[in-house]
Amino acid sequence: MLVGGWIVFETGPPTEAQLREQARLTGEHARDKLYIGVKNDTPGIAEKDPVTGTFSGFDIDIAYMIAADLGFRRDQVVFLSIKTEDRARRQATDDRGNYVAVDLVVATFSITRDRVRDASVGFSTPYLYTEQSVVTRNDHPAVSSLSQLAGEKVCTLGASTSESPLGKAGVETIPEKQISECFKGLANKQYDAVSTDAAIMAGFVARSKGAFVHHDIALEKTEMWGVNTGTNTPLRTLVELALYRSYADPQNTAWEDAYDRHIRPLLAANPGVNVAQSLQPCVKPPRIRRWPWERALSSDGC
């Protein structure tokens, strides 16, 4: 029986300890810092304080949650700003503008079929559900579909999933590298509207104190944000494990706390818009070997 158990254990899926070593988090190639690419200009999601240089927001809390499960303290996590078009390559920039390769990308990165086919992208299971919407100034007529914006100048993030629906609706789309530039242009009437994920725009609407209005445009497609670990498959499995523990363990409220802290306060200023689902998306347990005496979470919840 002992021999049989040893054979099963040795030939089954890797243990968490083995995955940590394969992902170069422990062992000979262990590092003492975890580099994470995040947005820096999105209130409520990921924003960098220009004075202190610290980051805050929902994505930041999710990144800290994952990092803790990977064995990193908060002071070992290094956040670097990343642009939309650099998320697949995992190339962020430091304070001097130099490109730096990051271990993880937690930056409103929607999972799509084309992106999954990209060999350089390794998505985790989704950690947030949202949808595309539209924001205008408060003097703009109500918007219920993208086609109503035909002939108007609409700003969105370049290389984002929002560009395609806008183009199909015949909307003149102007891409920007940062969503904050879109809202600056909206405020000074350079643009007529902004369109991207509702969770990205909700913070700008809340801060506008009524100057901006958020519109639901009834698109069926769900935007599913995932973590990009690139080609580091063991690291992706460990990220999946962190998200699974958050989802399946009733004592782990890190995801709910992040939502309540950063997204829920935005809802009152964005009525009638499904800013983001208030429940963590379902996570299946990843295939990881466990000893019989190790605590397991019994329900997959899906």
Side-chain angles (χ1 to χ4, degrees):
M1 289 179 63
L2 287 173
V3 172
W6 178 83
I7 292 173
V8 170
F9 193 81
E10 285 299 309
T11 58
T15 65
E16 185 175 355
Q18 288 173 328
L19 285 168
R20 286 172 181 261
E21 187 167 0
Q22 292 168 9
R24 299 194 170 193
L25 301 180
T26 60
E28 181 183 355
H29 301 287
R31 77 284 301 277
D32 59 359
K33 299 287 185 183
L34 187 70
Y35 291 88
I36 305 180
V38 296
K39 293 297 184 72
N40 65 359
D41 68 333
T42 311
I45 301 300
E47 189 173 33
K48 184 178 182 180
D49 188 300
V51 177
T52 65
T54 58
F55 288 82
S56 63
F58 177 80
D59 272 5
I60 304 304
D61 283 6
I62 296 302
Y64 273 133
M65 178 188 80
I66 293 170
D69 206 71
L70 295 176
F72 291 88
R73 302 186 309 271
R74 291 174 76 95
D75 63 348
Q76 292 178 300
V77 177
V78 179
F79 291 117
L80 294 169
S81 302
I82 196 164
K83 295 177 181 176
T84 299
E85 68 270 21
D86 293 324
R87 295 175 299 181
R89 295 182 287 268
R90 292 182 297 117
Q91 292 289 311
T93 54
D94 61 19
D95 291 336
R96 293 178 292 180
N98 298 319
Y99 281 95
V100 179
V102 294
D103 302 299
L104 305 174
V105 173
V106 186
T108 72
F109 201 13
S110 290
I111 302 169
T112 67
R113 188 174 300 175
D114 287 341
R115 287 171 176 168
V116 169
R117 291 190 184 121
D118 187 336
S120 67
V121 176
F123 273 122
S124 72
T125 190
Y127 66 88
L128 186 75
Y129 288 159
T130 183
E131 62 183 33
Q132 186 174 350
S133 58
V134 168
V135 172
T136 65
R137 292 183 298 277
N138 60 13
D139 58 354
H140 192 285
V143 179
S144 58
S145 68
L146 290 178
S147 60
Q148 291 176 290
L149 298 174
E152 300 188 26
K153 293 182 179 180
V154 180
C155 187
T156 192
L157 284 165
S160 72
T161 55
S162 302
E163 282 191 289
S164 179
L166 288 163
K168 290 177 181 179
V171 177
E172 181 184 353
T173 306
I174 299 93
E176 290 279 9
K177 291 186 177 182
Q178 291 193 295
I179 194 63
S180 55
E181 293 301 314
C182 284
F183 279 95
K184 287 179 183 177
L186 182 64
N188 65 27
K189 300 186 178 181
Q190 179 184 354
Y191 304 126
D192 300 300
V194 180
S195 183
T196 189
D197 295 357
I200 293 175
M201 300 194 294
F204 290 98
V205 175
R207 283 191 180 174
S208 76
K209 298 181 179 179
F212 298 149
V213 178
H214 209 158
H215 307 271
D216 187 300
I217 51 174
L219 291 182
E220 292 185 3
K221 182 176 180 291
T222 299
E223 297 293 338
M224 302 177 291
W225 295 358
V227 178
N228 180 20
T229 64
T231 57
N232 193 334
T233 303
L235 181 57
R236 183 176 67 206
T237 303
L238 290 168
V239 170
E240 297 271 2
L241 180 60
L243 293 173
Y244 171 67
R245 284 169 171 157
S246 168
Y247 177 82
D249 187 351
Q251 297 177 359
N252 186 335
T253 62
W255 192 96
E256 292 80 5
D257 292 344
Y259 187 96
D260 290 343
R261 185 179 300 113
H262 300 291
I263 296 181
R264 194 175 299 281
L266 306 177
L267 302 185
N270 294 268
V273 177
N274 186 11
V275 172
Q277 183 174 297
S278 61
L279 297 176
Q280 182 181 353
C282 169
V283 185
K284 289 281 189 179
R287 293 188 70 248
I288 295 177
R289 270 184 287 166
R290 307 192 71 82
W291 288 107
W293 56 83
E294 289 185 297
R295 179 172 180 255
L297 301 171
S298 58
S299 173
D300 66 12
C302 301

